[in-house]
Amino acid sequence: MAGRRMSELPKAYEPQAVEAKWYSAWLDGKCFEADPVSAKDGYSIVIPPPNVTGILHLGHVLNNALQDILARRARQEGKEVLWLPGTDHAGIATQAKVERELRESEGKTRRDLGREEFLKRVWDWKDHHGGIIIQQLKRLGCSCDWSRERFTMDPAYSKWVSQVFVDLFREGLIYRGKRIVNWCPVSLTALSDEEVIMTPQRSKLYYMKYEVAGLPGEYLRISTTRPETLMGDTAVAVNPKDPRFAKYIGRHVVRPFPHAEIPVIADDHVDMEFGTGALKITPAHDKADFEIGARHNLPIIDVLTPDGHINCPECPDLHGMERFAARKVAAKKLEDMGALEKTEEYDNNVGFSERAHVPIEPRISMQWFLKYPCVKEAADAVANGEIQFRPERWAKTYAHWMENLQDWCISRQLWWGHQIPVWYRKDKLGELTQAESLDTSHQTHGDLYVGVEPPADPENWVRDEDVMDTWFSSWLWPFATMSDVGDSSATLKKFYPTADLVTGPDIIFFWVARMIMAGYRFAGELPFRNVYFTSIIRDLQGRKMSKSLGNSPDPIDLMEKYGADGLRFGLLRIAPVGSDLRFDETSVEEGRNFANKLYNACRFRQMGGEISNLKFEISNGAALPPYHLDIMAKLDKLAADLKESYAEYRFGEIAQLLYEFLWSEFCDKFLEAVKLDLRESATAEAREAALGVFDTVMARYLQLMSPYMPHITEELSARMGYVAEGDFLMTRPLPAAPLLAGLPAEAVAAAQQQAADIYETAGRLRNLKAEYKVATRKDVKFIVKGASGWLANETKVLALLVGASEIVLDDAYDAPKGTPASVTPVGEIYLPLEGLIDVAAERLRLTKEIEKIRAEVARAESKLSNPSFVDRAPAAVVEQERARLDDWRAKLTQLDEMLAALA
RNA sequence: GCGCGCUUAGCUCAGUGGUAGAGCACAUCCUUCACACGGAUGGGGUCGCAGGUUCGAACCCUGCAGCGCGCACCA
């Protein structure tokens, strides 16, 4: 701290300018850039890449603030840190956005433009408007290595995606087949199971009756929620064990429209209890029906268009009609025909498209599927703790999913994305696209070309039009961002596997699980060691934040109002460990207030001026006043506690510890206690000791706070002269030794006890003043009887803390009857108040207090007289109880004496 | 239906066996020379309910209720 220069602080803390200033200073100083060949140990995090179309919301703030804290703390711990940033091309979301703009501004669809031109537009859009969120992350203070920013459609990254497809295809894990998939009638693409959100719906259950062919007047009753797909029915199924329907199995029933006879079949899948016990089978439009159809070789009739309209020319009144309108018309039609018996209200779950928010349509189509690789390794890694989930309970959810894996539908009927690297022989195209399934055998035949590079004779080939699911690129993120294909670069060597992944539990399946599998399969190792699942942020009513509800505050607005540090700290301080977070703007306000408190503490210090000739040495600390040793000991404890909390990823607790230290310990106690030493009247030694301790503690405190509030701590460290010009707080390693490492523990403990006694006594005396309505008077005098010996040195401080003119030590003091008094850790203390003494009132007050203490004594006595307790409780607990009892008894004696004196 | 989590002060939440805590809100007072984005004092909880284990339970066990979430679905 020698040669320090302080610059004066402005009157109020204004975070905006300060935060912008330091962020660019860090960038200029290359503080965020990772050196893959440094001597330090590597520490890395890859950012969960936000959608390139994304706008920062509170979830991002929480998530990225946590990563920033981890990264900054790791730097302080002497690690070489890589926080690798980037964005995701987000297939459906981005394409939909550009398509909407195209429609609105030019009235065109993507097909009007053609694939090539449309993709050009998307890239244009991405270059001009994409990546806003990156700027917003910078505003938040994120210490990412921006020189390594990646995009999931960068050429090198795309190459990885293709290579992985090719490898998995060759391995036989990727195949093409005609299956029932989740079809989004708005986005016009297949979706994976994970992109379907089951949503409770109030629906109707329709009860129909079909006449049994050859048995006029006999009917089979069937219940359904989807009469509009009736035209696609190719059977009616009953349970083979169901006696009610046994006689009909093998017969036919009459489908009302278009009129046809369809077989009654028996299948175990049918639940006898539900509805009528008879199920209409529509293989083209229901997954279970498709499977039943396959078991019984039923024909498949597709009666819906890709965009969810009826396709059934035999029923002109329904043909072309939108699916939900058609449902009503179909029901009416049945009613008119006398085939509808009744309609019931019915609650069921319907799958909705995650993106388009409309019910998905199970639909048969030709898609590419993946059988997951390295499933066992991935499941074991989490089960045996090699990869640690926090909170741990998510491991169970993960395990459950891993046990029930279904093949992943990876093709999407979009243009924006990684195009499937498969080419079909032109002359076999028709045959191939209709094939029930395609796999490596077709490649061997030379009908298919599967490769990262296009075929050498492109004129003979046609490329598959589909692109891959966005997550098929995301799952490669941890290693594909660190290297080109086949490159074992220094970066990969130093920073892979990554240390921590911070993400939301809502994407365990979408992303986390798949990354683990991809990590084992393609990088030969787990991709990260710890996964920290963040809270989901809700509003005060417990609703999820959403645009449509308008309950999602704009973090940029919050930062303008309260500063990035205020937002970060406020949010982190209320973030619970394992549950959802209920957000309220007042917590951000508290964060801002806290920054201001910190700032003002330093401003106060500056009034003390520079220490011209710093004589302060902690090694002489035994001679320091108790408050000085106390606050340094507490700082040491804070540092140790934080270390422990970081090890357990208890971020909210860390914020709370930092908050309490500064506000309750440093400002409320230490700063008040040393004010006397900073006055003109104080000796130079006292002044320098106080200022020296302030600087020593504050310099370390700012460093501990730095990961949470990087800007203000950097600013104050510079302004106060704790960090030399041109240097940065954020790049400094944490000091290895505690402040008081060299001092005898007993001396420190004794000083801490004295400080605690003084603070405790100050509270009691203020309380006494308030009770006697003289809280604001400064001219009162307290008299201490039976004072501890050391108190004589501290009466001035105590007087200052309490707001008294004097604290007099007088063992011979004979209190006038009714003198207000309090029993304190340092003795009996009286507050003589001429003219205010009311003996009756004082007796009442004392009596009440005595009652309270008697109850405590009785409680402690009964506990200690219980042999079970004394014998079986740990000795320390019993001892503690004894000490407590002694305290209460001593107090009781004193109070009894006081009461007696009043008589 | 299966699984997971939650239930502590008006609100948001800490607190994994030893005298119930914080912040906000509330009440009263204070514009005293760091901070009103501040200071001081105070009121406010049968720790969801019922059992059990224990010398001792907010904490461990069992059951129940309410809320939330995930998975699977019966058309």
Side-chain angles (χ1 to χ4, degrees):
Chain A
M1 258 179 266
R4 51 189 311 172
R5 297 178 59 96
M6 293 195 210
S7 55
E8 200 171 316
L9 294 169
K11 294 236 177 216
Y13 179 58
E14 287 151 16
Q16 284 71 26
V18 170
E19 290 175 351
K21 179 184 76 181
W22 282 108
Y23 201 82
S24 43
W26 290 324
L27 289 177
D28 291 345
K30 301 197 184 305
C31 296
F32 305 158
E33 291 186 19
D35 175 7
V37 294
S38 86
K40 300 173 180 175
D41 288 344
Y43 173 92
S44 57
I45 302 181
V46 290
I47 203 169
N51 291 355
V52 70
T53 56
I55 303 289
L56 194 74
H57 56 65
L58 279 174
H60 293 121
V61 171
L62 177 62
N63 185 286
N64 288 286
L66 288 169
Q67 292 173 68
D68 196 39
I69 287 164
L70 286 169
R72 287 173 181 274
R73 175 78 180 183
R75 285 190 194 95
Q76 294 185 323
E77 287 169 345
K79 306 267 175 58
E80 185 66 38
V81 171
L82 169 60
W83 182 12
L84 201 154
T87 49
D88 191 301
H89 67 281
I92 296 181
T94 308
Q95 175 165 324
K97 191 157 196 145
V98 177
E99 279 188 289
R100 191 183 328 123
E101 282 188 12
L102 191 63
R103 194 165 54 241
E104 282 165 7
S105 62
E106 300 174 42
K108 288 182 180 167
T109 69
R110 72 181 208 250
R111 291 180 200 286
D112 293 334
L113 262 58
R115 186 167 191 140
E116 202 173 325
E117 176 59 21
F118 178 75
L119 286 177
K120 204 167 149 275
R121 298 287 187 102
V122 185
W123 278 107
D124 274 356
W125 187 93
K126 186 247 168 196
D127 291 340
H128 289 108
H129 310 286
I132 293 173
I133 195 162
I134 295 296
Q135 297 314 312
Q136 295 178 314
L137 289 173
K138 291 178 179 173
R139 174 71 186 88
L140 187 62
C142 293
S143 59
C144 305
D145 183 350
W146 299 108
S147 70
R148 293 168 182 266
E149 187 181 335
R150 294 287 188 268
F151 178 54
T152 49
M153 281 174 67
D154 286 339
Y157 198 103
S158 297
K159 205 171 161 190
W160 255 117
V161 176
S162 296
Q163 184 66 55
V164 160
F165 184 99
V166 170
D167 287 354
L168 291 172
F169 179 83
R170 288 200 181 130
E171 206 177 314
L173 294 179
I174 285 181
Y175 61 93
R176 189 173 189 252
K178 213 172 195 179
R179 297 289 144 84
I180 282 262
V181 295
N182 307 299
W183 182 264
C184 175
V186 170
S187 310
L188 298 180
T189 178
L191 300 175
S192 67
D193 295 342
E194 287 69 35
E195 289 165 286
V196 177
I197 313 295
M198 297 308 282
T199 315
Q201 294 290 301
R202 171 123 280 207
S203 314
K204 284 190 166 62
L205 191 57
Y206 300 89
Y207 288 82
M208 310 177 293
K209 53 178 190 179
Y210 287 7
E211 189 164 43
V212 181
L215 296 171
E218 279 203 48
Y219 293 90
L220 194 57
R221 290 164 56 251
I222 299 161
S223 45
T224 182
T225 52
R226 300 204 65 187
E228 76 277 15
T229 61
L230 191 149
M231 304 81 80
D233 290 4
T234 50
V236 170
V238 297
N239 193 294
K241 293 192 205 73
D242 196 331
R244 294 173 296 176
F245 303 118
K247 56 184 169 178
Y248 299 132
I249 294 169
R251 288 183 174 270
H252 284 68
V253 292
V254 178
R255 185 184 69 197
F257 53 86
H259 187 278
E261 291 190 357
I262 54 175
V264 177
I265 58 172
D267 195 285
D268 287 331
H269 171 80
V270 180
D271 179 354
M272 294 189 279
E273 309 296 319
F274 187 86
T276 61
L279 170 64
K280 78 186 193 68
I281 303 299
T282 324
H285 300 296
D286 184 280
K287 192 161 190 229
D289 290 8
F290 177 81
E291 283 158 13
I292 293 172
R295 285 199 282 273
H296 296 85
N297 288 317
L298 297 175
I300 296 168
I301 307 173
D302 188 336
V303 295
L304 284 171
T305 62
D307 64 349
H309 288 67
I310 303 296
N311 176 24
C312 182
E314 296 96 318
C315 297
D317 44 348
L318 290 167
H319 185 64
M321 189 174 277
E322 193 275 331
R323 54 189 168 144
F324 296 108
R327 180 173 301 175
K328 287 179 190 148
V329 173
K332 182 75 176 35
K333 218 171 129 126
L334 286 167
E335 196 178 355
D336 292 346
M337 295 169 81
L340 186 68
E341 274 200 329
K342 62 173 177 177
T343 308
E344 269 178 7
E345 292 291 318
Y346 176 60
D347 294 322
N348 65 345
N349 280 331
V350 175
F352 275 64
S353 159
E354 193 200 23
R355 285 284 158 207
H357 309 290
V358 295
I360 58 106
E361 199 56 63
R363 183 162 190 265
I364 290 186
S365 65
M366 189 67 92
Q367 303 288 347
W368 289 95
F369 294 89
L370 166 69
K371 294 187 189 27
Y372 287 100
C374 295
V375 175
K376 190 173 164 12
E377 290 97 313
D380 289 350
V382 174
N384 66 25
E386 242 180 296
I387 294 176
Q388 183 107 39
F389 279 13
R390 298 164 194 279
E392 211 172 340
R393 64 188 157 84
W394 291 112
K396 216 166 189 176
T397 309
Y398 170 85
H400 184 253
W401 190 73
M402 292 298 287
E403 280 162 21
N404 295 284
L405 284 180
Q406 305 282 317
D407 290 355
W408 177 10
C409 175
I410 55 171
S411 47
R412 295 290 177 276
Q413 287 63 54
L414 305 171
W415 288 351
W416 177 243
H418 302 96
Q419 196 170 350
I420 305 260
V422 172
W423 284 259
Y424 305 101
R425 272 275 296 276
K426 230 175 213 171
D427 48 356
K428 296 267 185 80
L429 185 62
E431 183 188 325
L432 290 170
T433 49
Q434 288 312 307
E436 282 296 314
S437 71
L438 290 178
D439 54 32
T440 43
S441 66
H442 295 82
Q443 191 183 18
T444 320
H445 272 274
D447 296 344
L448 278 187
Y449 172 84
V450 181
V452 176
E453 301 299 332
D457 51 342
E459 65 281 1
N460 295 326
W461 300 88
V462 178
R463 186 167 187 176
D464 192 299
E465 294 217 335
D466 290 352
V467 300
M468 289 176 237
D469 182 1
T470 301
W471 296 103
F472 193 86
S473 63
S474 312
W475 75 326
L476 313 178
W477 187 249
F479 58 88
T481 47
M482 288 196 196
S483 65
D484 292 342
V485 176
D487 166 35
S488 61
S489 68
T491 299
L492 208 55
K493 210 172 275 174
K494 182 109 192 156
F495 296 113
Y496 189 89
T498 65
D500 297 317
L501 177 77
V502 180
T503 191
D506 48 336
I507 54 175
I508 290 184
F509 310 139
F510 273 117
W511 198 45
V512 179
R514 288 166 177 168
M515 274 194 289
I516 297 173
M517 291 186 273
Y520 278 108
R521 174 61 184 77
F522 300 105
E525 205 173 351
L526 46 79
F528 30 71
R529 307 205 182 278
N530 295 291
V531 184
Y532 182 85
F533 290 108
T534 58
S535 312
I536 291 175
I537 301 186
R538 300 174 178 279
D539 67 9
L540 281 178
Q541 281 82 53
R543 303 172 304 182
K544 269 191 184 173
M545 296 280 176
S546 81
K547 270 185 215 158
S548 52
L549 279 173
N551 60 351
S552 176
D554 182 353
I556 298 296
D557 291 346
L558 291 172
M559 285 191 264
E560 286 307 312
K561 214 165 152 192
Y562 303 108
D565 288 340
L567 174 61
R568 291 166 63 123
F569 192 78
L571 195 60
L572 264 295
R573 199 158 76 93
I574 58 165
V577 180
S579 52
D580 294 353
L581 181 158
R582 298 209 175 191
F583 177 79
D584 181 10
E585 191 170 320
T586 59
S587 40
V588 184
E589 199 180 327
E590 284 170 39
R592 186 270 316 261
N593 294 355
F594 182 74
N596 193 57
K597 186 77 180 175
L598 179 59
Y599 168 85
N600 272 293
C602 290
R603 213 156 69 90
F604 172 67
R605 159 66 185 88
Q606 284 197 314
M607 290 168 51
E610 301 185 21
I611 305 173
S612 52
N613 182 16
L614 185 66
K615 289 187 208 143
F616 169 73
E617 290 284 344
I618 294 170
S619 53
N620 300 333
L624 287 169
Y627 321 102
H628 300 43
L629 288 171
D630 179 54
I631 198 65
M632 289 193 285
K634 280 173 177 161
L635 191 271
D636 284 342
K637 180 166 190 320
L638 174 69
D641 289 348
L642 291 187
K643 196 170 181 183
E644 220 171 278
S645 299
Y646 270 114
E648 290 164 32
Y649 295 76
R650 302 166 73 102
F651 299 103
E653 184 176 271
I654 293 167
Q656 189 59 27
L657 288 168
L658 287 163
Y659 184 96
E660 277 169 9
F661 175 84
L662 193 273
W663 206 302
S664 311
E665 302 299 337
F666 192 80
C667 291
D668 287 353
K669 299 197 179 95
F670 171 71
L671 229 45
E672 295 301 326
V674 300
K675 275 184 174 170
L676 210 57
D677 294 342
L678 299 179
R679 290 193 176 157
E680 295 296 322
S681 53
T683 64
E685 287 74 22
R687 221 173 76 86
E688 293 193 353
L691 295 179
V693 171
F694 183 108
D695 289 335
T696 306
V697 172
M698 182 55 79
R700 285 204 178 191
Y701 177 79
L702 290 173
Q703 198 178 8
L704 293 172
M705 176 56 89
S706 170
Y708 278 68
M709 299 184 119
H711 310 88
I712 190 177
T713 50
E714 195 78 66
E715 169 77 359
L716 291 174
S717 296
R719 293 262 188 180
M720 302 293 288
Y722 301 152
V723 173
E725 204 174 324
D727 202 358
F728 295 100
L729 177 68
M730 70 158 283
T731 54
R732 283 205 167 181
L734 287 167
L739 282 172
L740 299 183
L743 294 186
E746 315 82 66
V748 174
Q752 286 206 268
Q753 186 59 55
Q754 287 182 9
D757 286 351
I758 291 289
Y759 295 137
E760 161 80 15
T761 302
R764 288 186 187 271
L765 299 188
R766 281 192 295 245
N767 170 318
L768 206 58
K769 283 178 75 182
E771 234 172 302
Y772 287 90
K773 312 287 181 211
V774 292
T776 57
R777 273 175 63 177
K778 298 277 170 137
D779 57 344
V780 296
K781 179 167 91 169
F782 285 97
I783 295 163
V784 189
K785 264 179 93 168
S788 322
W790 53 270
L791 189 61
N793 292 330
E794 308 303 335
T795 52
K796 282 190 177 152
V797 172
L798 189 55
L800 184 75
L801 290 175
V802 170
S805 62
E806 205 184 351
I807 308 280
V808 181
L809 306 189
D810 181 2
D811 287 349
Y813 179 64
D814 186 17
K817 283 185 182 175
T819 305
S822 180
V823 175
T824 78
V826 299
E828 260 166 61
I829 304 191
Y830 293 86
L831 172 59
L833 285 172
E834 302 291 331
L836 275 178
I837 299 168
D838 176 339
V839 175
E842 184 60 12
R843 288 187 63 151
L844 191 64
R845 192 182 72 83
L846 283 176
T847 311
K848 273 188 187 161
E849 208 171 329
I850 287 169
E851 268 171 36
K852 263 192 210 164
I853 293 178
R854 284 222 171 98
E856 292 293 345
V857 169
R859 186 193 57 76
E861 276 174 346
S862 96
K863 202 164 180 179
L864 284 165
S865 65
N866 179 348
S868 314
F869 171 69
V870 179
D871 295 347
R872 309 184 63 163
V877 173
V878 178
E879 218 28 64
Q880 191 186 337
E881 194 65 39
R882 285 224 170 85
R884 223 178 262 152
L885 178 61
D886 289 346
D887 274 2
W888 289 123
R889 277 182 175 152
K891 258 177 210 175
L892 193 57
T893 313
Q894 284 177 312
L895 286 169
D896 279 338
E897 281 168 13
M898 286 182 203
L899 188 59
L902 285 181

